[in-house]
Amino acid sequence: MLGALLADALEPHLTRLPVGPTVVVPVPSHRRSARGFDALGGSSRAAERELAARGRPVLVQPWLETVSAYRPLKDLTRD
């Protein structure tokens, strides 16, 4: 569902770009997901498939990565 919504949001912007594939770079939330999967990556790949079906070539590339240590906000103190 989120992939289809992302495709709907991206498509109007793709019509203003030159012909050819557009690269979409998802921003990672943190290094390791406690959920055991990459939710944003999955949504981005679903949007890639949806846009390809509509004739809009898009490539999803995971070029960004987090470099700092991540701690969940719930584990932080008020200070």
Side-chain angles (χ1 to χ4, degrees):
M1 180 64 147
L2 290 176
L5 292 172
L6 180 58
D8 289 344
L10 286 173
E11 191 168 22
H13 302 287
L14 299 176
T15 60
R16 292 184 251 150
L17 297 173
V19 177
T22 301
V23 177
V24 174
V25 182
V27 177
S29 56
H30 51 78
R31 247 183 233 179
R32 274 190 223 146
S33 171
R35 295 179 299 259
F37 64 94
D38 179 14
L40 181 58
S43 297
S44 299
R45 287 185 297 280
E48 179 182 35
R49 289 188 301 272
E50 177 70 26
L51 288 166
R54 298 178 191 182
R56 304 263 186 220
V58 172
L59 300 173
V60 175
Q61 297 294 324
W63 289 337
L64 300 176
E65 63 181 48
T66 55
V67 293
S68 63
Y70 170 79
R71 287 180 49 198
L73 292 176
K74 66 181 182 180
D75 294 342
L76 300 177
T77 65
R78 181 176 283 192
D79 295 334

